[in-house]
Amino acid sequence: MKIHIIIATLLLAFTCQAQPLVLSQKECRQMALTHSEDIKISSNNILQAELDRKVARNSLLPQLSGSAMGMSMLPDMDFEGMTLSMKGTWTAGLNLTQPIYTGGKIVSGIKLAKLGVEASHEQQKVTRSNVIADADNAYWTYIAVIEKQRMLESMLEYINSIYIQVKNSVDVEMATSGDLLRVEAKRSDFNYQLEKVNSGLEMCRMNLCNIIGVDFSTQIVPTDTTITIERSANYPFGQDLIANRPEYRLLQKQIDISQEQIKQIRADYLPTLALSAGYAYFGNLKMKGVADDGTGNMMPFSKRYNDDSFSLMLSLSVPIWNWGEGHKKVKRQKLAVENARLDLKKSNRLMSIELKNAYNNLHSSESLIATAESGEREAAEALRVMTDRYEVGMCTLTDLLEAQSQWHSARSNIIEAKTQYKIYETDYLHAAGLLE
């Protein structure tokens, strides 16, 4: 009974493992986002930025610190006939400090932390967009190779049927062995192409498995095999789209951060004012000596002191001279701000070029699809006519094989054009900041 249970369990596990993963483009994107280590890192960066912001806010609050100290001083100190003993003396206390003015460094630090949080969110959007683009590229490439595999398999079936017809004709001496050799050569060519496609398909499948985070042995069945073409005219186009890109907003945040860092540097060279309150308690301080008992007799005495004290202090620190260090640091940071502005200007120009190229590729891809569809219809009709003629002996085998090659090429073109269109579509949405 136990053996039967084990066998059944193994069979069930094998069956579950053998189940293919049926995947749509939307599901592919979601799985890629869930699996992506880059997305997880960006989420952690956001959490870190949020914690930095909370730490910066805490700088406005009073800071409480405690201290304790024990000491033994040898030898004892003598003064005015008395001995002060500090063997085993100890002290402990609390200190509360409230910054009043820090040159604006605390306020600037809070603003910097806030900008850091916003920049982290924009960086996550950049990462998310890149992950989606990679997932779409892998998904549509995988579909393209699958379609080519199916086409080659159907063409191989077709050429095998031609091979049987020619072989039968050779057997009854109605065709030559040269005709059979030509068919065999074509069949070998298709087998070779099919092997290459199978190898490429395996690589595409493994790449897609890696992106969506499943086991490399998982068989994937895509569902979006019917490709819908959206007219490029329906997509918006204009320079204002650049502002939608998280990359652009991230560069703007970098300028804001660099400007705020100028205030941080200036604050280091401005006066600071703080109020502090302290409480201390000391013990085991001993005093020994002799004193008049009131009758003229000198009597020895010993006293141990344990006491506490309070303090209130207002401290002002004013930098006076630093050999122009502050001025140089501020000037250096202003150059960093200028560099950030130049980087934004350069990136804006590059993103505009990228958007224009993406839109042109999308528009050109529509024309390629129309041309490929027209070519496929013509090639399919030519193949049908040549097949009918060959069956009645009105054309040669060479003509038939040539028509078949033309159809194969036309079909390959339309597969490539349609899947490439979907990749260009994703590229355009990415360049326009519309990829979500």
Side-chain angles (χ1 to χ4, degrees):
M1 187 64 181
K2 290 182 179 179
I3 295 176
H4 290 163
I5 293 174
I6 293 173
I7 293 174
T9 303
L10 292 174
L11 288 174
L12 180 60
F14 178 79
T15 302
C16 293
Q17 185 178 6
Q19 286 291 332
L21 174 63
V22 180
L23 194 66
S24 66
Q25 181 187 11
K26 182 178 180 180
E27 292 168 338
C28 177
R29 287 181 174 186
Q30 189 58 49
M31 292 181 69
L33 291 171
T34 303
H35 165 70
S36 174
E37 288 86 358
D38 292 334
I39 292 291
K40 295 174 183 177
I41 290 173
S42 65
S43 297
N44 289 338
N45 290 339
I46 290 175
L47 293 176
Q48 287 179 328
E50 290 285 359
L51 291 173
D52 289 340
R53 185 179 182 181
K54 292 178 180 179
V55 170
R57 285 177 174 175
N58 289 343
S59 300
L60 291 170
L61 303 176
Q63 304 296 314
L64 180 65
S65 61
S67 62
M69 180 178 65
M71 62 180 297
S72 290
M73 182 179 291
L74 297 174
D76 295 341
M77 293 182 290
D78 295 326
F79 61 95
E80 295 181 358
M82 292 182 292
T83 301
L84 178 65
S85 176
M86 299 183 67
K87 296 177 181 177
T89 302
W90 59 271
T91 180
L94 295 173
N95 189 70
L96 185 67
T97 303
Q98 173 63 56
I100 299 175
Y101 177 73
T102 60
K105 189 166 188 176
I106 293 178
V107 175
S108 178
I110 293 174
K111 290 181 179 179
L112 268 176
K114 180 182 178 182
L115 288 171
V117 173
E118 294 171 356
S120 298
H121 281 286
E122 295 299 338
Q123 182 60 57
Q124 186 180 57
K125 291 177 183 178
V126 173
T127 304
R128 177 185 175 86
S129 182
N130 291 335
V131 169
I132 291 175
D134 291 342
D136 282 3
N137 195 316
Y139 184 79
W140 292 114
T141 302
Y142 182 61
I143 287 178
V145 180
I146 287 177
E147 292 299 317
K148 285 190 175 183
Q149 181 194 51
R150 290 173 179 171
M151 180 198 63
L152 285 171
E153 288 174 347
S154 66
M155 291 308 301
L156 196 56
E157 291 180 7
Y158 174 79
I159 206 69
N160 284 335
S161 67
I162 295 296
Y163 177 83
I164 294 173
Q165 293 179 26
V166 174
K167 188 174 185 304
N168 292 336
S169 298
V170 170
D171 292 340
V172 296
E173 298 182 353
M174 292 182 64
T176 66
S177 58
D179 292 335
L180 189 61
L181 289 174
R182 279 194 290 273
V183 178
E184 287 180 341
K186 180 62 69 173
R187 184 168 66 173
S188 297
D189 181 56
F190 276 121
N191 279 318
Y192 174 77
Q193 292 185 49
L194 184 59
E195 286 298 322
K196 286 181 64 177
V197 167
N198 288 338
S199 177
L201 180 63
E202 184 64 13
M203 292 299 298
C204 291
R205 185 190 61 78
M206 293 179 66
N207 181 48
L208 187 56
C209 287
N210 178 58
I211 288 176
I212 64 177
V214 297
D215 190 86
F216 288 136
S217 62
T218 304
Q219 297 300 317
I220 300 176
V221 179
T223 60
D224 300 296
T225 53
T226 301
I227 298 177
T228 303
I229 305 302
E230 181 74 26
R231 299 288 297 174
S232 61
N234 296 334
Y235 284 112
F237 179 76
Q239 183 65 26
D240 56 326
L241 290 174
I242 300 299
N244 292 329
R245 295 191 61 168
E247 293 93 338
Y248 184 85
R249 295 194 296 268
L250 185 60
L251 290 171
Q252 288 181 318
K253 294 296 179 185
Q254 188 57 52
I255 294 176
D256 296 338
I257 289 173
S258 297
Q259 289 176 328
E260 203 62 43
Q261 285 173 339
I262 294 178
K263 299 177 183 179
Q264 286 271 296
I265 294 173
R266 283 176 175 161
D268 290 334
Y269 300 94
L270 293 176
T272 58
L273 181 65
L275 177 66
S276 62
Y279 169 78
Y281 189 91
F282 63 91
N284 205 28
L285 181 65
K286 297 181 286 292
M287 182 73 73
K288 298 179 182 179
V290 292
D292 191 342
D293 63 355
T295 61
N297 295 325
M298 303 299 292
M299 300 293 293
F301 73 92
S302 176
K303 188 174 182 180
R304 178 176 297 179
Y305 293 93
N306 294 289
D307 206 352
D308 58 2
S309 63
F310 294 90
S311 64
L312 187 65
M313 180 174 64
L314 187 66
S315 62
L316 176 65
S317 175
V318 182
I320 297 176
W321 182 250
N322 51 48
W323 303 99
E325 178 183 302
H327 175 71
K328 293 182 180 69
K329 286 187 175 181
V330 169
K331 188 175 181 179
R332 180 180 181 277
Q333 186 58 34
K334 285 183 177 180
L335 291 174
V337 173
E338 180 62 19
N339 287 341
R341 288 198 179 100
L342 291 172
D343 193 23
L344 176 62
K345 184 177 180 181
K346 173 186 173 182
S347 298
N348 182 49
R349 194 165 58 247
L350 294 175
M351 284 188 281
S352 298
I353 295 173
E354 183 183 359
L355 177 61
K356 180 64 176 176
N357 286 338
Y359 187 81
N360 288 341
N361 287 337
L362 194 62
H363 182 71
S364 299
S365 186
E366 292 178 15
S367 301
L368 287 175
I369 290 173
T371 303
E373 288 177 340
S374 176
E376 190 211 13
R377 287 193 298 268
E378 294 171 358
E381 179 62 18
L383 180 59
R384 185 191 66 78
V385 171
M386 287 300 174
T387 301
D388 292 343
R389 289 182 178 181
Y390 178 76
E391 290 177 354
V392 296
M394 294 181 63
C395 73
T396 64
L397 178 63
T398 301
D399 294 334
L400 177 63
L401 294 178
E402 178 64 23
Q404 183 272 330
S405 294
Q406 290 177 354
W407 182 88
H408 167 254
S409 178
R411 184 58 186 165
S412 295
N413 289 341
I414 198 169
I415 292 172
E416 290 178 1
K418 285 190 173 183
T419 52
Q420 188 61 51
Y421 173 87
K422 299 303 292 185
I423 293 174
Y424 283 150
E425 186 179 45
T426 299
D427 290 342
Y428 167 76
L429 294 174
H430 181 272
L434 302 174
L435 192 59
E436 295 180 355

